[in-house]
Amino acid sequence: MNRHLALLILALSLALPLPSQADSDLVLAVSEGTSGGMDHAQVIAKYRGLADAIGRGMKTTVNVVFIREFSALEEGLKTSRFAFVIARPSDYPARGMRDHGYNYVASAKPDGQCYIVVAKGSPLKTLDDIKGKKIVIPEKAAYMSRFCAAELRDKGIELGKENVQYVREQAAVGFYLDNKFAEVGAIASYSGIGKKWEADGNRILHKSVAQPYFPLVAYGKIRPDQIQAVQKELLALSNSESGQELLKRIGVKEFDTGAEDRMRALLKWMGS
């Protein structure tokens, strides 16, 4: 090969686009439900450490994508756009597993529960006492509303036969009870109002069965051995100071990898 031809080949090779590392990168989609206030950059910073832990298990880069709208989350699950999805409410990952070939990886601790609550000074003492009383609950289509309805159904209370006021935000439940617009409320254990209900001097009449909270699922291209490697990384987070800081940042005490059966039963229990 003469010198001029060699230089021409070198020039052409330099002009050709190189394969992008991003082409092989995976995507972690994050949905925090209706809890708003964060922009994409903030969510990426918040979950970067989690994506890195998943990436260590996968031996590749995992990028964070913030999914604000439920419609976009649903579409991404349907089309397997996202390699990994961590989302609340839990019914979206559950539908990803049931309908779209996603597999369970982990869920967050503590689990989620429905709290049946009353304000300080309420004369109500037991769950049976709420029958016939005005109950305030998140909007009918909301995950926690359906969660609470399933729990109460199992306890012999049909919300469809009770005096129920549906409200858009869980914070409104506290407003209704504080101002005696209702006598009983239903809230999520992991909601802002749920976390401080008893600390504010109010009472929880009943705590529901625990269900998986903030589940992480993976699309069908991820092999079982890769899922196991990711699970190992997630379980190890609580064993180091840096891992504990990461968990605290995303609002998780630790990860649980043993809730797959409950995840697969969740939608049926809720009547979905």
Side-chain angles (χ1 to χ4, degrees):
M1 184 184 298
N2 64 46
R3 182 170 179 273
H4 292 295
L5 181 58
L7 289 173
L8 177 61
I9 292 173
L10 177 61
L12 288 172
S13 67
L14 291 174
L16 292 173
L18 295 173
S20 170
Q21 179 63 39
D23 291 342
S24 62
D25 292 352
L26 301 177
V27 170
L28 167 65
V30 176
S31 171
E32 292 194 335
T34 55
S35 58
M38 297 189 73
D39 61 27
H40 197 102
Q42 289 172 316
V43 171
I44 290 175
K46 182 177 179 180
Y47 289 90
R48 178 71 266 164
L50 176 61
D52 289 344
I54 295 171
R56 287 195 295 274
M58 294 296 299
K59 295 181 172 55
T60 190
T61 301
V62 176
N63 296 314
V64 179
V65 174
F66 179 34
I67 307 299
R68 189 182 296 277
E69 301 295 333
F70 286 144
S71 58
L73 177 61
E74 191 82 58
E75 182 61 25
L77 287 164
K78 285 181 181 178
T79 59
S80 293
R81 175 187 167 200
F82 313 124
F84 293 91
V85 174
I86 186 167
R88 55 175 185 257
S90 300
D91 53 341
Y92 284 91
R95 280 196 295 277
M97 292 171 61
R98 185 189 67 184
D99 301 335
H100 307 305
Y102 278 73
N103 292 304
Y104 172 82
V105 179
S107 50
K109 285 291 188 181
D111 286 326
Q113 292 176 282
C114 168
Y115 287 172
I116 305 301
V117 299
V118 294
K120 61 186 74 173
S122 170
L124 305 183
K125 302 296 183 184
T126 69
L127 200 56
D128 281 341
D129 293 340
I130 78 172
K131 294 178 180 179
K133 303 298 189 291
K134 187 169 185 179
I135 304 170
V136 59
I137 194 169
E139 57 187 342
K140 198 170 186 178
Y143 170 74
M144 189 47 56
S145 179
R146 292 179 287 123
F147 187 130
C148 293
E151 173 68 15
L152 291 173
R153 174 204 65 211
D154 290 352
K155 300 301 181 184
I157 299 172
E158 295 289 341
L159 278 183
K161 298 177 181 179
E162 298 294 331
N163 180 14
V164 177
Q165 173 69 54
Y166 293 100
V167 293
R168 185 167 179 80
E169 302 290 341
Q170 291 197 55
V173 173
F175 176 83
Y176 269 69
L177 295 181
D178 288 342
N179 292 279
K180 303 189 186 308
F181 297 146
E183 296 160 280
V184 185
I187 56 177
S189 59
Y190 49 82
S191 64
I193 187 174
K195 290 177 179 178
K196 63 187 184 70
W197 188 256
E198 289 182 306
D200 288 344
N202 301 302
R203 288 190 294 118
I204 299 174
L205 280 186
H206 177 74
K207 295 182 179 181
S208 76
V209 62
Q211 295 288 10
Y213 169 63
F214 215 11
L216 173 67
V217 295
Y219 69 1
K221 294 180 183 180
I222 307 298
R223 303 188 309 268
D225 63 299
Q226 291 175 311
I227 289 178
Q228 290 172 6
V230 171
Q231 290 175 328
K232 183 178 179 180
E233 292 291 338
L234 297 179
L235 292 174
L237 290 175
S238 58
N239 297 328
S240 69
E241 185 174 338
S242 60
Q244 290 170 9
E245 290 175 359
L246 184 162
L247 293 170
K248 184 177 180 180
R249 185 162 60 250
I250 65 176
V252 172
K253 183 178 180 182
E254 61 184 338
F255 278 103
D256 175 21
T257 59
E260 180 172 355
D261 289 345
R262 288 190 294 139
M263 273 293 291
R264 293 196 180 278
L266 178 63
L267 297 175
K268 184 176 180 181
W269 177 71
M270 291 174 57
S272 299

PDB file of all heavy atoms in Angstrom, residues 157-189:
ATOM      1  N   ILE A 157     -66.284  -4.219  54.996  1.00  0.00           N
ATOM      2  CA  ILE A 157     -66.821  -2.872  54.789  1.00  0.00           C
ATOM      3  C   ILE A 157     -66.740  -2.537  53.307  1.00  0.00           C
ATOM      4  O   ILE A 157     -65.643  -2.452  52.740  1.00  0.00           O
ATOM      5  CB  ILE A 157     -66.056  -1.823  55.620  1.00  0.00           C
ATOM      6  CG1 ILE A 157     -66.174  -2.144  57.111  1.00  0.00           C
ATOM      7  CG2 ILE A 157     -66.572  -0.413  55.321  1.00  0.00           C
ATOM      8  CD1 ILE A 157     -65.294  -1.282  57.997  1.00  0.00           C
ATOM      9  N   GLU A 158     -67.891  -2.359  52.651  1.00  0.00           N
ATOM     10  CA  GLU A 158     -67.945  -2.023  51.232  1.00  0.00           C
ATOM     11  C   GLU A 158     -68.069  -0.507  51.093  1.00  0.00           C
ATOM     12  O   GLU A 158     -69.088   0.079  51.478  1.00  0.00           O
ATOM     13  CB  GLU A 158     -69.128  -2.714  50.569  1.00  0.00           C
ATOM     14  CG  GLU A 158     -69.037  -4.232  50.542  1.00  0.00           C
ATOM     15  CD  GLU A 158     -67.971  -4.739  49.581  1.00  0.00           C
ATOM     16  OE1 GLU A 158     -67.558  -3.969  48.686  1.00  0.00           O
ATOM     17  OE2 GLU A 158     -67.555  -5.907  49.727  1.00  0.00           O
ATOM     18  N   LEU A 159     -67.035   0.119  50.561  1.00  0.00           N
ATOM     19  CA  LEU A 159     -67.063   1.579  50.440  1.00  0.00           C
ATOM     20  C   LEU A 159     -68.225   2.060  49.585  1.00  0.00           C
ATOM     21  O   LEU A 159     -68.740   3.156  49.802  1.00  0.00           O
ATOM     22  CB  LEU A 159     -65.743   2.081  49.847  1.00  0.00           C
ATOM     23  CG  LEU A 159     -64.570   2.255  50.805  1.00  0.00           C
ATOM     24  CD1 LEU A 159     -63.365   2.828  50.075  1.00  0.00           C
ATOM     25  CD2 LEU A 159     -64.936   3.136  51.993  1.00  0.00           C
ATOM     26  N   GLY A 160     -68.619   1.245  48.607  1.00  0.00           N
ATOM     27  CA  GLY A 160     -69.743   1.638  47.752  1.00  0.00           C
ATOM     28  C   GLY A 160     -71.046   1.795  48.498  1.00  0.00           C
ATOM     29  O   GLY A 160     -71.983   2.439  47.994  1.00  0.00           O
ATOM     30  N   LYS A 161     -71.115   1.251  49.681  1.00  0.00           N
ATOM     31  CA  LYS A 161     -72.329   1.342  50.486  1.00  0.00           C
ATOM     32  C   LYS A 161     -72.198   2.347  51.623  1.00  0.00           C
ATOM     33  O   LYS A 161     -73.113   2.495  52.443  1.00  0.00           O
ATOM     34  CB  LYS A 161     -72.676  -0.034  51.060  1.00  0.00           C
ATOM     35  CG  LYS A 161     -72.960  -1.093  49.989  1.00  0.00           C
ATOM     36  CD  LYS A 161     -73.232  -2.449  50.620  1.00  0.00           C
ATOM     37  CE  LYS A 161     -73.480  -3.506  49.549  1.00  0.00           C
ATOM     38  NZ  LYS A 161     -73.723  -4.850  50.149  1.00  0.00           N
ATOM     39  N   GLU A 162     -71.051   3.019  51.689  1.00  0.00           N
ATOM     40  CA  GLU A 162     -70.803   3.976  52.763  1.00  0.00           C
ATOM     41  C   GLU A 162     -70.872   5.411  52.248  1.00  0.00           C
ATOM     42  O   GLU A 162     -70.918   5.662  51.043  1.00  0.00           O
ATOM     43  CB  GLU A 162     -69.429   3.715  53.388  1.00  0.00           C
ATOM     44  CG  GLU A 162     -69.265   2.347  54.037  1.00  0.00           C
ATOM     45  CD  GLU A 162     -70.144   2.150  55.259  1.00  0.00           C
ATOM     46  OE1 GLU A 162     -70.459   3.154  55.934  1.00  0.00           O
ATOM     47  OE2 GLU A 162     -70.516   1.001  55.535  1.00  0.00           O
ATOM     48  N   ASN A 163     -70.899   6.346  53.176  1.00  0.00           N
ATOM     49  CA  ASN A 163     -70.941   7.779  52.854  1.00  0.00           C
ATOM     50  C   ASN A 163     -69.508   8.260  52.637  1.00  0.00           C
ATOM     51  O   ASN A 163     -68.793   8.568  53.588  1.00  0.00           O
ATOM     52  CB  ASN A 163     -71.608   8.537  54.003  1.00  0.00           C
ATOM     53  CG  ASN A 163     -71.694  10.033  53.739  1.00  0.00           C
ATOM     54  OD1 ASN A 163     -71.496  10.494  52.604  1.00  0.00           O
ATOM     55  ND2 ASN A 163     -71.988  10.802  54.769  1.00  0.00           N
ATOM     56  N   VAL A 164     -69.084   8.291  51.369  1.00  0.00           N
ATOM     57  CA  VAL A 164     -67.682   8.558  51.034  1.00  0.00           C
ATOM     58  C   VAL A 164     -67.541   9.892  50.314  1.00  0.00           C
ATOM     59  O   VAL A 164     -68.301  10.203  49.392  1.00  0.00           O
ATOM     60  CB  VAL A 164     -67.105   7.433  50.154  1.00  0.00           C
ATOM     61  CG1 VAL A 164     -65.664   7.749  49.745  1.00  0.00           C
ATOM     62  CG2 VAL A 164     -67.164   6.098  50.890  1.00  0.00           C
ATOM     63  N   GLN A 165     -66.558  10.674  50.746  1.00  0.00           N
ATOM     64  CA  GLN A 165     -66.181  11.916  50.066  1.00  0.00           C
ATOM     65  C   GLN A 165     -64.800  11.712  49.455  1.00  0.00           C
ATOM     66  O   GLN A 165     -63.823  11.441  50.161  1.00  0.00           O
ATOM     67  CB  GLN A 165     -66.145  13.080  51.061  1.00  0.00           C
ATOM     68  CG  GLN A 165     -65.593  14.366  50.485  1.00  0.00           C
ATOM     69  CD  GLN A 165     -66.514  14.984  49.441  1.00  0.00           C
ATOM     70  OE1 GLN A 165     -67.681  15.215  49.703  1.00  0.00           O
ATOM     71  NE2 GLN A 165     -65.970  15.231  48.253  1.00  0.00           N
ATOM     72  N   TYR A 166     -64.705  11.813  48.122  1.00  0.00           N
ATOM     73  CA  TYR A 166     -63.421  11.667  47.443  1.00  0.00           C
ATOM     74  C   TYR A 166     -62.762  13.032  47.281  1.00  0.00           C
ATOM     75  O   TYR A 166     -63.428  14.012  46.937  1.00  0.00           O
ATOM     76  CB  TYR A 166     -63.607  11.009  46.076  1.00  0.00           C
ATOM     77  CG  TYR A 166     -64.052   9.566  46.164  1.00  0.00           C
ATOM     78  CD1 TYR A 166     -65.392   9.212  45.993  1.00  0.00           C
ATOM     79  CD2 TYR A 166     -63.139   8.552  46.439  1.00  0.00           C
ATOM     80  CE1 TYR A 166     -65.802   7.894  46.084  1.00  0.00           C
ATOM     81  CE2 TYR A 166     -63.538   7.228  46.532  1.00  0.00           C
ATOM     82  CZ  TYR A 166     -64.872   6.901  46.348  1.00  0.00           C
ATOM     83  OH  TYR A 166     -65.276   5.592  46.451  1.00  0.00           O
ATOM     84  N   VAL A 167     -61.453  13.078  47.539  1.00  0.00           N
ATOM     85  CA  VAL A 167     -60.698  14.333  47.413  1.00  0.00           C
ATOM     86  C   VAL A 167     -59.469  14.092  46.536  1.00  0.00           C
ATOM     87  O   VAL A 167     -58.983  12.970  46.427  1.00  0.00           O
ATOM     88  CB  VAL A 167     -60.280  14.883  48.788  1.00  0.00           C
ATOM     89  CG1 VAL A 167     -61.497  15.331  49.580  1.00  0.00           C
ATOM     90  CG2 VAL A 167     -59.470  13.854  49.576  1.00  0.00           C
ATOM     91  N   ARG A 168     -58.960  15.143  45.935  1.00  0.00           N
ATOM     92  CA  ARG A 168     -57.866  15.004  44.971  1.00  0.00           C
ATOM     93  C   ARG A 168     -56.526  14.698  45.636  1.00  0.00           C
ATOM     94  O   ARG A 168     -55.755  13.873  45.157  1.00  0.00           O
ATOM     95  CB  ARG A 168     -57.759  16.282  44.128  1.00  0.00           C
ATOM     96  CG  ARG A 168     -56.737  16.176  43.022  1.00  0.00           C
ATOM     97  CD  ARG A 168     -56.855  17.300  42.029  1.00  0.00           C
ATOM     98  NE  ARG A 168     -55.848  17.200  40.987  1.00  0.00           N
ATOM     99  CZ  ARG A 168     -55.917  16.402  39.929  1.00  0.00           C
ATOM    100  NH1 ARG A 168     -56.974  15.613  39.785  1.00  0.00           N
ATOM    101  NH2 ARG A 168     -54.958  16.368  39.028  1.00  0.00           N
ATOM    102  N   GLU A 169     -56.237  15.366  46.733  1.00  0.00           N
ATOM    103  CA  GLU A 169     -54.940  15.215  47.385  1.00  0.00           C
ATOM    104  C   GLU A 169     -55.086  14.585  48.763  1.00  0.00           C
ATOM    105  O   GLU A 169     -56.064  14.857  49.478  1.00  0.00           O
ATOM    106  CB  GLU A 169     -54.259  16.583  47.529  1.00  0.00           C
ATOM    107  CG  GLU A 169     -54.052  17.333  46.223  1.00  0.00           C
ATOM    108  CD  GLU A 169     -53.007  16.691  45.333  1.00  0.00           C
ATOM    109  OE1 GLU A 169     -52.197  15.901  45.864  1.00  0.00           O
ATOM    110  OE2 GLU A 169     -52.998  16.970  44.116  1.00  0.00           O
ATOM    111  N   GLN A 170     -54.094  13.779  49.160  1.00  0.00           N
ATOM    112  CA  GLN A 170     -54.165  13.148  50.472  1.00  0.00           C
ATOM    113  C   GLN A 170     -54.106  14.178  51.594  1.00  0.00           C
ATOM    114  O   GLN A 170     -54.688  13.967  52.656  1.00  0.00           O
ATOM    115  CB  GLN A 170     -53.036  12.124  50.630  1.00  0.00           C
ATOM    116  CG  GLN A 170     -53.222  10.904  49.746  1.00  0.00           C
ATOM    117  CD  GLN A 170     -52.382   9.727  50.173  1.00  0.00           C
ATOM    118  OE1 GLN A 170     -52.440   9.277  51.320  1.00  0.00           O
ATOM    119  NE2 GLN A 170     -51.605   9.197  49.246  1.00  0.00           N
ATOM    120  N   ALA A 171     -53.429  15.288  51.343  1.00  0.00           N
ATOM    121  CA  ALA A 171     -53.378  16.333  52.368  1.00  0.00           C
ATOM    122  C   ALA A 171     -54.767  16.849  52.704  1.00  0.00           C
ATOM    123  O   ALA A 171     -55.018  17.292  53.834  1.00  0.00           O
ATOM    124  CB  ALA A 171     -52.495  17.472  51.890  1.00  0.00           C
ATOM    125  N   ALA A 172     -55.673  16.777  51.728  1.00  0.00           N
ATOM    126  CA  ALA A 172     -57.042  17.247  51.961  1.00  0.00           C
ATOM    127  C   ALA A 172     -57.769  16.366  52.972  1.00  0.00           C
ATOM    128  O   ALA A 172     -58.720  16.820  53.619  1.00  0.00           O
ATOM    129  CB  ALA A 172     -57.816  17.295  50.649  1.00  0.00           C
ATOM    130  N   VAL A 173     -57.345  15.108  53.104  1.00  0.00           N
ATOM    131  CA  VAL A 173     -57.960  14.224  54.092  1.00  0.00           C
ATOM    132  C   VAL A 173     -57.783  14.815  55.488  1.00  0.00           C
ATOM    133  O   VAL A 173     -58.727  14.869  56.290  1.00  0.00           O
ATOM    134  CB  VAL A 173     -57.356  12.813  54.013  1.00  0.00           C
ATOM    135  CG1 VAL A 173     -57.876  11.942  55.169  1.00  0.00           C
ATOM    136  CG2 VAL A 173     -57.681  12.162  52.671  1.00  0.00           C
ATOM    137  N   GLY A 174     -56.575  15.276  55.792  1.00  0.00           N
ATOM    138  CA  GLY A 174     -56.324  15.902  57.085  1.00  0.00           C
ATOM    139  C   GLY A 174     -57.151  17.149  57.290  1.00  0.00           C
ATOM    140  O   GLY A 174     -57.668  17.389  58.392  1.00  0.00           O
ATOM    141  N   PHE A 175     -57.296  17.951  56.235  1.00  0.00           N
ATOM    142  CA  PHE A 175     -58.101  19.172  56.320  1.00  0.00           C
ATOM    143  C   PHE A 175     -59.555  18.838  56.664  1.00  0.00           C
ATOM    144  O   PHE A 175     -60.168  19.493  57.524  1.00  0.00           O
ATOM    145  CB  PHE A 175     -58.026  19.929  54.994  1.00  0.00           C
ATOM    146  CG  PHE A 175     -58.899  21.154  54.937  1.00  0.00           C
ATOM    147  CD1 PHE A 175     -58.458  22.357  55.472  1.00  0.00           C
ATOM    148  CD2 PHE A 175     -60.156  21.103  54.355  1.00  0.00           C
ATOM    149  CE1 PHE A 175     -59.264  23.486  55.430  1.00  0.00           C
ATOM    150  CE2 PHE A 175     -60.966  22.230  54.307  1.00  0.00           C
ATOM    151  CZ  PHE A 175     -60.517  23.423  54.841  1.00  0.00           C
ATOM    152  N   TYR A 176     -60.091  17.835  56.007  1.00  0.00           N
ATOM    153  CA  TYR A 176     -61.491  17.439  56.262  1.00  0.00           C
ATOM    154  C   TYR A 176     -61.675  16.975  57.695  1.00  0.00           C
ATOM    155  O   TYR A 176     -62.661  17.324  58.354  1.00  0.00           O
ATOM    156  CB  TYR A 176     -61.904  16.327  55.293  1.00  0.00           C
ATOM    157  CG  TYR A 176     -62.528  16.833  54.014  1.00  0.00           C
ATOM    158  CD1 TYR A 176     -61.775  17.518  53.072  1.00  0.00           C
ATOM    159  CD2 TYR A 176     -63.879  16.626  53.737  1.00  0.00           C
ATOM    160  CE1 TYR A 176     -62.331  17.981  51.890  1.00  0.00           C
ATOM    161  CE2 TYR A 176     -64.459  17.088  52.568  1.00  0.00           C
ATOM    162  CZ  TYR A 176     -63.676  17.765  51.644  1.00  0.00           C
ATOM    163  OH  TYR A 176     -64.250  18.235  50.489  1.00  0.00           O
ATOM    164  N   LEU A 177     -60.722  16.172  58.182  1.00  0.00           N
ATOM    165  CA  LEU A 177     -60.857  15.659  59.543  1.00  0.00           C
ATOM    166  C   LEU A 177     -60.641  16.749  60.585  1.00  0.00           C
ATOM    167  O   LEU A 177     -61.376  16.829  61.576  1.00  0.00           O
ATOM    168  CB  LEU A 177     -59.882  14.503  59.763  1.00  0.00           C
ATOM    169  CG  LEU A 177     -60.130  13.251  58.919  1.00  0.00           C
ATOM    170  CD1 LEU A 177     -59.101  12.177  59.256  1.00  0.00           C
ATOM    171  CD2 LEU A 177     -61.536  12.703  59.117  1.00  0.00           C
ATOM    172  N   ASP A 178     -59.665  17.601  60.358  1.00  0.00           N
ATOM    173  CA  ASP A 178     -59.386  18.693  61.299  1.00  0.00           C
ATOM    174  C   ASP A 178     -60.578  19.625  61.440  1.00  0.00           C
ATOM    175  O   ASP A 178     -60.838  20.165  62.529  1.00  0.00           O
ATOM    176  CB  ASP A 178     -58.166  19.494  60.839  1.00  0.00           C
ATOM    177  CG  ASP A 178     -56.858  18.742  61.020  1.00  0.00           C
ATOM    178  OD1 ASP A 178     -56.850  17.758  61.803  1.00  0.00           O
ATOM    179  OD2 ASP A 178     -55.850  19.126  60.394  1.00  0.00           O
ATOM    180  N   ASN A 179     -61.288  19.833  60.337  1.00  0.00           N
ATOM    181  CA  ASN A 179     -62.414  20.770  60.336  1.00  0.00           C
ATOM    182  C   ASN A 179     -63.770  20.083  60.479  1.00  0.00           C
ATOM    183  O   ASN A 179     -64.805  20.716  60.276  1.00  0.00           O
ATOM    184  CB  ASN A 179     -62.376  21.603  59.063  1.00  0.00           C
ATOM    185  CG  ASN A 179     -61.194  22.552  59.036  1.00  0.00           C
ATOM    186  OD1 ASN A 179     -61.236  23.621  59.637  1.00  0.00           O
ATOM    187  ND2 ASN A 179     -60.111  22.160  58.352  1.00  0.00           N
ATOM    188  N   LYS A 180     -63.736  18.787  60.816  1.00  0.00           N
ATOM    189  CA  LYS A 180     -64.943  18.004  61.096  1.00  0.00           C
ATOM    190  C   LYS A 180     -65.906  17.949  59.902  1.00  0.00           C
ATOM    191  O   LYS A 180     -67.116  17.851  60.065  1.00  0.00           O
ATOM    192  CB  LYS A 180     -65.656  18.542  62.340  1.00  0.00           C
ATOM    193  CG  LYS A 180     -64.763  18.571  63.575  1.00  0.00           C
ATOM    194  CD  LYS A 180     -65.538  18.899  64.833  1.00  0.00           C
ATOM    195  CE  LYS A 180     -64.631  19.067  66.036  1.00  0.00           C
ATOM    196  NZ  LYS A 180     -63.699  17.945  66.247  1.00  0.00           N
ATOM    197  N   PHE A 181     -65.338  18.011  58.679  1.00  0.00           N
ATOM    198  CA  PHE A 181     -66.139  17.796  57.474  1.00  0.00           C
ATOM    199  C   PHE A 181     -66.334  16.306  57.221  1.00  0.00           C
ATOM    200  O   PHE A 181     -67.165  15.924  56.392  1.00  0.00           O
ATOM    201  CB  PHE A 181     -65.465  18.438  56.254  1.00  0.00           C
ATOM    202  CG  PHE A 181     -65.326  19.924  56.346  1.00  0.00           C
ATOM    203  CD1 PHE A 181     -64.232  20.563  55.786  1.00  0.00           C
ATOM    204  CD2 PHE A 181     -66.281  20.718  56.988  1.00  0.00           C
ATOM    205  CE1 PHE A 181     -64.084  21.940  55.858  1.00  0.00           C
ATOM    206  CE2 PHE A 181     -66.143  22.084  57.069  1.00  0.00           C
ATOM    207  CZ  PHE A 181     -65.045  22.711  56.513  1.00  0.00           C
ATOM    208  N   ALA A 182     -65.549  15.480  57.899  1.00  0.00           N
ATOM    209  CA  ALA A 182     -65.668  14.028  57.827  1.00  0.00           C
ATOM    210  C   ALA A 182     -65.194  13.461  59.154  1.00  0.00           C
ATOM    211  O   ALA A 182     -64.524  14.138  59.932  1.00  0.00           O
ATOM    212  CB  ALA A 182     -64.838  13.473  56.673  1.00  0.00           C
ATOM    213  N   GLU A 183     -65.561  12.207  59.407  1.00  0.00           N
ATOM    214  CA  GLU A 183     -65.216  11.582  60.691  1.00  0.00           C
ATOM    215  C   GLU A 183     -64.070  10.574  60.584  1.00  0.00           C
ATOM    216  O   GLU A 183     -63.416  10.266  61.585  1.00  0.00           O
ATOM    217  CB  GLU A 183     -66.462  10.889  61.255  1.00  0.00           C
ATOM    218  CG  GLU A 183     -67.585  11.875  61.582  1.00  0.00           C
ATOM    219  CD  GLU A 183     -68.941  11.189  61.662  1.00  0.00           C
ATOM    220  OE1 GLU A 183     -69.548  10.938  60.602  1.00  0.00           O
ATOM    221  OE2 GLU A 183     -69.370  10.907  62.800  1.00  0.00           O
ATOM    222  N   VAL A 184     -63.860  10.059  59.384  1.00  0.00           N
ATOM    223  CA  VAL A 184     -62.847   9.029  59.160  1.00  0.00           C
ATOM    224  C   VAL A 184     -62.115   9.349  57.871  1.00  0.00           C
ATOM    225  O   VAL A 184     -62.708   9.858  56.909  1.00  0.00           O
ATOM    226  CB  VAL A 184     -63.492   7.628  59.036  1.00  0.00           C
ATOM    227  CG1 VAL A 184     -62.411   6.552  58.932  1.00  0.00           C
ATOM    228  CG2 VAL A 184     -64.416   7.350  60.195  1.00  0.00           C
ATOM    229  N   GLY A 185     -60.814   9.021  57.821  1.00  0.00           N
ATOM    230  CA  GLY A 185     -60.047   9.222  56.596  1.00  0.00           C
ATOM    231  C   GLY A 185     -59.241   7.990  56.236  1.00  0.00           C
ATOM    232  O   GLY A 185     -59.019   7.102  57.069  1.00  0.00           O
ATOM    233  N   ALA A 186     -58.784   7.949  54.981  1.00  0.00           N
ATOM    234  CA  ALA A 186     -57.921   6.867  54.514  1.00  0.00           C
ATOM    235  C   ALA A 186     -56.727   7.500  53.816  1.00  0.00           C
ATOM    236  O   ALA A 186     -56.897   8.323  52.911  1.00  0.00           O
ATOM    237  CB  ALA A 186     -58.673   5.938  53.570  1.00  0.00           C
ATOM    238  N   ILE A 187     -55.523   7.130  54.237  1.00  0.00           N
ATOM    239  CA  ILE A 187     -54.298   7.724  53.678  1.00  0.00           C
ATOM    240  C   ILE A 187     -53.226   6.649  53.516  1.00  0.00           C
ATOM    241  O   ILE A 187     -53.324   5.555  54.088  1.00  0.00           O
ATOM    242  CB  ILE A 187     -53.752   8.854  54.584  1.00  0.00           C
ATOM    243  CG1 ILE A 187     -53.521   8.344  56.008  1.00  0.00           C
ATOM    244  CG2 ILE A 187     -54.686  10.046  54.583  1.00  0.00           C
ATOM    245  CD1 ILE A 187     -52.924   9.382  56.956  1.00  0.00           C
ATOM    246  N   ALA A 188     -52.203   6.973  52.743  1.00  0.00           N
ATOM    247  CA  ALA A 188     -51.075   6.060  52.552  1.00  0.00           C
ATOM    248  C   ALA A 188     -50.074   6.204  53.686  1.00  0.00           C
ATOM    249  O   ALA A 188     -49.777   7.319  54.129  1.00  0.00           O
ATOM    250  CB  ALA A 188     -50.391   6.346  51.221  1.00  0.00           C
ATOM    251  N   SER A 189     -49.527   5.104  54.124  1.00  0.00           N
ATOM    252  CA  SER A 189     -48.532   5.126  55.200  1.00  0.00           C
ATOM    253  C   SER A 189     -47.302   5.932  54.806  1.00  0.00           C
ATOM    254  O   SER A 189     -46.660   6.553  55.655  1.00  0.00           O
ATOM    255  CB  SER A 189     -48.119   3.696  55.544  1.00  0.00           C
ATOM    256  OG  SER A 189     -47.568   3.042  54.400  1.00  0.00           O
TER     257      SER A 189
END
